[in-house]
Amino acid sequence: MTQPAPPSKSALSLPDVLVALGITLLGVLMIIGTQRINSSGMNTIVGPRVFPMIISVGLTLLGAVLTVLALRGDRAEPAAEEDTDPDAPVNLAAAGIILGGFLVGAFLLLPLGFVFGTAIMYFSVAFAFGERRFGLMLLVSLLVAFVTYELFTRGLGLTLPPGILKGVI
Amino acid sequence: MSKPLITLALSLSLLVAPSLAAAQSIQNLRIMAPASPGGGWDQTSRSVQSALQDAGIVKPVQVFNVPGAGGTIGLAQLYNSKGDSSLMMTMGLVMVGAIQTNSSKVDLSRVTPLARLTGEYEVVVVPASSPYKNMGDLVAAWKADPGKVAFAGGSAGGTDHMLVGLMAKAAGIDPRKMNYVPFSGGGETLAAVLGNQVAAAVAGYGEFEAQIKAGKLRAVGISSAKPQAGIDAPTLKSQGLNVELANWRGIVAPPGISGSQKAALISALDKMHASKGWKDTLETRKWTDLYLSGSKFDNYLKLEANRTAGILKDIGLVK
Amino acid sequence: MDALTSLFAGFETALTPLNLLWALIGVTLGTLVGVLPGIGPALTVALLLPVTAKLPAVSAFIMFAGIYYGGMFGGSTTSILLNTPGESASIITALEGNKMARKGRAAAALATAAIGSFVAGTIGTLLLTFAAPAIAEIAVQIPPTAKFALILLAFVTISATFGGSPLRGLISLAFGLGIGLVGTDLQSGQARFTLGFPELLDGIDFVTVVIGLFAIGETLFVATRLRKDKGNVIKLQGNASMTREDWRRSWKPWLRGTALGFPFGAIPAGGAEIPTFLSYTLEKKLSKHPEEFGQGAIEGVAGPEAANNASAAGVLVPLLTLGLPTSATAAILLAAFQQYGLQPGPLLFLTNGDLVWGLIASLYIGNFMLLLLNLPLAPVWAKLLNIPRPFLYAGILVFSTVGVYSLNNSVFDLVLLAIFGVIGYGMRRFDFPVTPAIIGVILGPTAENFFRTAMQQSGGDYSVFVTQPSSAFILVIVVLALVLPPVLRARGKRAA
């Protein structure tokens, strides 16, 4: 790994502070949630609240330590993966396209059917990864979705929603 | 004058008759198993499916799974399919309990009961080396110190738990004081009692059958009203515990179907119950025939719902 | 040599052309569904149950045995190639295996997984053949205190293994433990952290968490920081599978993995996860190249894969001898026995000896078939990585969707998947290791149950953890694992 820049300790990193605060907040919310668990009237020697309490207090404390460190200037370095370029500008839109396509596909899974729902997902990922041969993308996404559908419903007897193709496939 | 009228009436009846018959015969029946493939409700659904198809009563029948939350997710979905007369759902005592423990918004009074199909009785077992020779010994020790005698069984609020609660009540023990150790799978309950880690264990007879026959476990009581053929266990009733419980499975339809649609579904199930294919299935799977349909089942369902709600409160599981 | 005679009779049953065909169908089907994330052998056997109702029992079980082992072989393939572990037992395989694949060594990783699975499966089946009743007797005696201590050991060794930044590792673990709490409490029947969603009453399936954090999280992360300069595909290092060096580094992990995996499979609720985790830590400790761990160390694939398969063989011990299912797949196999009116247990060997021994014989045959099937396939599978990035990542997402959707046939799970995907992205962005969270999700609920069961059985006596010899012994190891490394480090510093 040729990564010359050591993590800078001077400037405060706002995202890091927010994440640390978020974890602490999650811990606090879990403590409140623990209080809301019905204590059981049964003869349970260790009740249903004991482990949730240990874990939520633990998470709160760990979050607090992380917050202190972040306020002192600690910052996390994004993971280095084989396919990623640490120096490339971060393209959050790509993640948004994938996520949006996924959710749209998921909600259309029942009305439109499995084939079109997953084809939307496939198409949006390929688009987000920079593919622009639209004809090919359309063909492959429909083909993958169709073959998967046939494989699972006929081969394994799973029930996947047919949607508008009901009766056709 | 009368002639054309008669012809008209005749031709009308001819027109109507087949359409009436079509309304009676069920087409494209779908059975929802409110559990994952492989579980009890799934097996029941698929057995009903093949019995209905093989005897030519209904064709085709499709089974699909809607697992989750003790079947209450499937129940909610059934409730939303109001008026669909080609849909049925398998269910059972476990769902009656889950409705209480999960505070489900839909309960069984909101759907159309069809029939009780099969069931399995519960047995109480102790390890072969246990000092408790019979139910009397076990109850005596239990009364002396309810917290000391640990019973193993399935998850909290399930059939096994209910039986131990009913037994405690019958023996005059506060069900809240009993020591019940829940395990997630039948295998773990078996392991706990084989390993002498608990005083006794409760489960459906099938789960313990092999170990009872091999002499590693002793069945000290069965939850049926009368002794069962081929099962070497005295009833709880004959040993002074007035408790009867069957882990039954039945079948219901969505709400809002007409009386004749309900009758058609019940008549299909009646025919299935009489078919040879169904009898063979009961035989190989060792399911006890508990068939009960129509208004008898409607009443039974109400009684079971009340009893279940009562015992879950007594145990302290539901407020 | 009673077992030997029976085994030969079993081979006679299993080696008929028709039963061989069923075994072949089983292993092929098992490998295929194992490859798909989320769809494991348990679901496949369950779905096939009605179809096989008309087959003779022996043939059906021979096929099921093939699916069972085949699923284990196939599960490693997606982990290694696509970083999408479908079963909890192949999570660890993904850690090193996927790193190897990304360096162009996919074929070697697949080969060591396949051969390790074969070695472990065969040794496991041998133990099943000759020592099953004795092992089963011991396995049921293990008290919940000892099982709790074992999980504690797994937590301690794992947090030491993934301790790049201990604080971030612990936060990840606590997060996973918290997710594991969601759902109805088994012991008291009370709902915990379900936020009023009935869909959450059964808890969050680990498949959703694993696929969300691993596959979806990675897809999102890579999409935002795509490397554009370099070619769009991973270069495979020829067709070379395992080098002599790979063999030298693999055979000991295979054997150690087997030794860890088999007993855990036989213990009720032991599972395949703890031994794969322990095997990974053990190999890292013993390796001469600990620095390679996390970068694609072959030992980290060989050991856990062997542990995984050995535990699959171990699971059959209590199932056949006691009728005691110790895993989800075993529970489905038990249902399959019941479909034929058979009750596994001590009497099954007497009443249906030909079936049991035919089944055991077919395990040897199936294992061998799987090796023959998987070794030549390894380079072929590896070519999957030649698919251009946009199409490969899109395909991973679609397969993940099928797997998660088919868990409960519910769109709700897909929304959960998306949420865990975003969390997985955030964990990569802010340098939180993903594995401790997964381990928390899987082992947290088990640990809690063992602890509370132990307390319930002892009537609230906390001293049982130290008075029971087996748990006391493991707790001593836990303490040593906590205390020794810092002490040794201190002494090392003084010496230097």
Side-chain angles (χ1 to χ4, degrees):
Chain A
M1 290 286 135
T2 46
Q3 257 242 27
S8 114
K9 285 246 170 190
S10 52
L12 197 78
S13 158
L14 189 63
D16 279 81
V17 174
L18 286 179
V19 165
L21 280 175
I23 291 167
T24 320
L25 183 69
L26 181 68
V28 173
L29 287 177
M30 279 173 64
I31 294 178
I32 297 170
T34 304
Q35 303 301 321
R36 292 201 175 168
I37 298 170
N38 286 329
S39 62
S40 136
M42 285 165 54
N43 170 13
T44 42
I45 287 154
V46 180
R49 287 185 190 169
V50 176
F51 276 75
M53 201 43 139
I54 297 172
I55 292 165
S56 45
V57 168
L59 189 62
T60 313
L61 291 179
L62 292 169
V65 174
L66 192 69
T67 311
V68 171
L69 291 179
L71 286 173
R72 286 155 113 203
D74 256 21
R75 59 171 63 204
E77 288 304 312
E81 308 250 349
E82 203 61 27
D83 284 339
T84 61
D85 179 359
D87 303 322
V90 176
N91 176 10
L92 277 178
I97 292 168
I98 294 176
L99 210 60
F102 181 83
L103 288 175
V104 168
F107 284 111
L108 291 178
L109 206 63
L110 292 179
L112 284 189
F114 178 86
V115 173
F116 292 116
T118 44
I120 293 171
M121 297 178 184
Y122 193 99
F123 193 90
S124 54
V125 177
F127 183 83
F129 272 80
E131 185 60 58
R132 290 295 178 272
R133 287 170 286 174
F134 290 106
L136 181 71
M137 286 156 72
L138 198 66
L139 188 75
V140 173
S141 57
L142 284 172
L143 199 69
V144 168
F146 179 72
V147 169
T148 316
Y149 180 86
E150 288 291 305
L151 206 72
F152 281 76
T153 50
R154 278 178 215 262
L156 280 176
L158 281 178
T159 29
L160 296 174
I164 51 172
L165 290 180
K166 190 173 184 171
V168 183
I169 47 173
Chain B
M1 192 62 185
S2 63
K3 232 182 174 181
L5 258 181
I6 293 169
T7 18
L8 187 68
L10 264 176
S11 52
L12 262 179
S13 71
L14 276 174
L15 272 173
V16 169
S19 63
L20 255 183
Q24 294 296 321
S25 84
I26 306 141
Q27 306 224 311
N28 289 319
L29 186 67
R30 294 181 310 137
I31 303 178
M32 183 205 298
S36 303
W41 288 332
D42 180 65
Q43 290 176 29
T44 309
S45 308
R46 291 181 198 276
S47 303
V48 170
Q49 174 192 31
S50 43
L52 283 173
Q53 285 182 342
D54 293 351
I57 303 163
V58 184
K59 267 183 189 177
V61 184
Q62 199 197 340
V63 171
F64 65 106
N65 302 78
V66 183
T72 51
I73 305 253
L75 180 65
Q77 195 168 319
L78 188 83
Y79 178 71
N80 288 331
S81 315
K82 258 184 208 135
D84 185 348
S85 64
S86 62
L87 178 65
M88 306 200 285
M89 179 186 76
T90 42
M91 43 75 72
L93 181 60
V94 174
M95 186 183 283
V96 179
I99 288 167
Q100 297 284 333
T101 49
N102 296 343
S103 359
S104 164
K105 288 193 184 76
V106 180
D107 66 26
L108 288 163
S109 67
R110 314 269 286 273
V111 298
T112 312
L114 296 175
R116 185 178 70 183
L117 299 172
T118 65
E120 188 179 33
Y121 290 110
E122 300 261 306
V123 286
V124 183
V125 296
V126 296
S129 60
S130 165
Y132 312 121
K133 297 291 170 218
N134 50 42
M135 201 69 215
D137 293 353
L138 186 62
V139 169
W142 200 13
K143 273 184 171 167
D145 189 350
K148 244 296 130 38
V149 179
F151 281 84
S155 58
T159 317
D160 308 336
H161 196 183
M162 282 187 228
L163 180 69
V164 181
L166 289 168
M167 281 164 49
K169 255 182 97 177
I173 298 166
D174 180 0
R176 287 176 181 243
K177 293 223 169 73
M178 70 193 194
N179 185 352
Y180 182 80
V181 191
F183 290 93
S184 55
E188 288 176 65
T189 311
L190 183 57
V193 65
L194 281 178
N196 264 312
Q197 292 162 18
V198 288
V202 178
Y205 175 71
E207 290 191 29
F208 294 145
E209 184 185 9
Q211 301 298 329
I212 294 171
K213 289 203 167 142
K216 297 202 170 178
L217 294 177
R218 183 160 56 239
V220 293
I222 185 162
S223 68
S224 55
K226 295 187 193 101
Q228 296 294 298
I231 302 181
D232 182 21
T235 63
L236 294 172
K237 278 194 157 168
S238 70
Q239 301 179 84
L241 286 179
N242 189 18
V243 177
E244 222 190 295
L245 185 75
N247 186 9
W248 55 269
R249 292 181 194 138
I251 201 155
V252 295
I257 63 171
S258 73
S260 64
Q261 285 169 330
K262 179 182 176 184
L265 288 172
I266 290 178
S267 118
L269 290 170
D270 284 342
K271 277 185 212 147
M272 178 206 76
H273 174 242
S275 72
K276 184 172 179 306
W278 182 249
K279 292 210 165 80
D280 291 346
T281 306
L282 294 182
E283 180 87 15
T284 44
R285 296 199 176 249
K286 294 178 186 162
W287 287 341
T288 309
D289 186 7
L290 293 178
Y291 193 75
L292 193 71
S293 67
S295 58
K296 280 186 195 153
F297 179 57
D298 296 4
N299 290 332
Y300 177 78
L301 199 54
K302 279 184 199 120
L303 288 176
E304 281 293 270
N306 284 336
R307 173 162 85 149
T308 305
I311 188 62
L312 290 177
K313 274 202 187 84
D314 292 340
I315 295 172
L317 204 113
V318 191
K319 291 240 163 65
Chain C
M1 283 285 93
D2 227 16
L4 212 55
T5 343
S6 314
L7 184 64
F8 280 125
F11 269 109
E12 266 174 50
T13 316
L15 282 174
T16 60
L18 200 61
N19 283 342
L20 275 178
L21 181 69
W22 286 119
L24 186 65
I25 293 175
V27 295
T28 316
L29 208 58
T31 311
L32 285 179
V33 299
V35 165
L36 300 166
I39 302 204
L43 188 64
T44 313
V45 174
L47 290 168
L48 284 175
L49 274 183
V51 186
T52 54
K54 294 184 172 78
L55 283 182
V58 178
S59 307
F61 279 101
I62 285 175
M63 185 170 88
F64 289 157
I67 294 175
Y68 183 58
Y69 273 2
M72 297 293 158
F73 271 74
S76 54
T77 308
T78 18
S79 288
I80 291 170
L81 295 180
L82 308 178
N83 201 16
T84 311
E87 282 101 0
S88 53
S90 45
I91 289 165
I92 296 294
T93 311
L95 295 181
E96 299 301 320
N98 190 250
K99 288 279 171 358
M100 281 180 76
R102 305 249 154 172
K103 292 194 168 157
R105 305 211 57 224
L110 289 170
T112 195
I115 301 169
S117 296
F118 172 74
V119 170
T122 306
I123 296 177
T125 313
L126 276 170
L127 287 169
L128 172 69
T129 312
F130 295 104
I135 296 168
E137 284 297 320
I138 302 167
V140 294
Q141 300 296 335
I142 295 178
T145 45
K147 292 184 203 164
F148 176 75
L150 276 172
I151 296 187
L152 217 54
L153 180 64
F155 279 147
V156 167
T157 50
I158 286 158
S159 54
T161 309
F162 297 99
S165 151
L167 177 65
R168 287 171 191 275
L170 280 173
I171 288 176
S172 173
L173 179 69
F175 172 71
L177 290 170
I179 296 300
L181 289 173
V182 175
T184 306
D185 173 29
L186 170 80
Q187 307 273 331
S188 69
Q190 306 303 327
R192 301 195 293 192
F193 299 134
T194 56
L195 311 172
F197 290 106
E199 288 88 348
L200 289 179
L201 283 170
D202 285 344
I204 299 173
D205 202 293
F206 74 86
V207 171
T208 315
V209 184
V210 171
I211 294 184
L213 293 185
F214 270 56
I216 311 288
E218 173 159 302
T219 304
L220 293 174
F221 187 76
V222 173
T224 55
R225 295 167 169 76
L226 194 62
R227 184 185 286 270
K228 299 234 168 64
D229 51 341
K230 143 178 146 179
N232 231 352
V233 293
I234 293 173
K235 282 174 280 322
L236 292 176
Q237 291 186 348
N239 262 343
S241 50
M242 285 174 72
T243 62
R244 187 180 294 262
E245 169 77 358
D246 290 332
W247 278 93
R248 209 180 44 71
R249 287 175 57 177
S250 287
W251 71 272
K252 278 186 197 154
W254 289 336
L255 295 181
R256 284 192 288 255
T258 309
L260 276 173
F262 187 81
F264 274 93
I267 299 172
E273 297 88 11
I274 308 175
T276 55
F277 298 160
L278 287 180
S279 164
Y280 183 82
T281 9
L282 184 69
E283 294 312 329
K284 189 178 177 183
K285 288 259 154 63
L286 294 176
S287 171
K288 292 195 186 91
H289 319 269
E291 76 287 347
E292 276 185 31
F293 273 75
Q295 308 296 328
I298 194 161
E299 293 94 335
V301 181
E305 264 308 298
N308 172 6
N309 250 52
S311 104
V315 163
L316 294 175
V317 170
L319 179 70
L320 291 177
T321 56
L322 298 176
L324 203 152
T326 55
S327 74
T329 320
I332 301 286
L333 284 176
L334 186 67
F337 275 104
Q338 284 159 348
Q339 172 172 284
Y340 287 97
L342 302 168
Q343 187 62 48
L347 299 176
L348 187 68
F349 282 82
L350 299 177
T351 53
N352 293 81
D354 50 338
L355 182 133
V356 181
W357 289 106
L359 175 66
I360 292 178
S362 73
L363 291 176
Y364 291 98
I365 299 167
N367 240 311
F368 190 64
M369 280 183 178
L370 280 165
L371 188 68
L372 290 186
L373 197 70
N374 276 277
L375 271 188
L377 272 183
V380 181
W381 282 124
K383 294 227 164 61
L384 266 184
L385 293 178
N386 282 336
I387 298 172
R389 282 294 165 273
F391 295 97
L392 181 67
Y393 278 99
I396 294 176
L397 188 96
V398 166
F399 278 122
S400 306
T401 308
V402 190
V404 170
Y405 180 77
S406 57
L407 290 174
N408 292 317
N409 295 333
S410 123
V411 175
F412 184 87
D413 286 346
L414 292 183
V415 177
L416 278 184
L417 181 68
I419 294 174
F420 282 107
V422 174
I423 296 173
Y425 170 85
M427 290 176 87
R428 282 174 175 76
R429 163 64 184 85
F430 292 99
D431 197 23
F432 291 100
V434 172
T435 317
I438 307 274
I439 290 165
V441 171
I442 292 171
L443 291 188
T446 333
E448 183 185 5
N449 275 331
F450 286 146
F451 184 82
R452 290 167 71 185
T453 303
M455 283 302 96
Q456 203 72 29
Q457 285 175 0
S458 71
D461 178 5
Y462 287 83
S463 71
V464 284
F465 285 102
V466 284
T467 52
Q468 255 158 6
S470 48
S471 79
F473 175 72
I474 302 164
L475 284 176
V476 169
I477 301 179
V478 171
V479 172
L480 286 181
L482 277 176
V483 174
L484 268 188
V487 171
L488 287 179
R489 226 173 294 140
R491 283 182 68 189
K493 268 185 194 149
R494 220 179 305 151

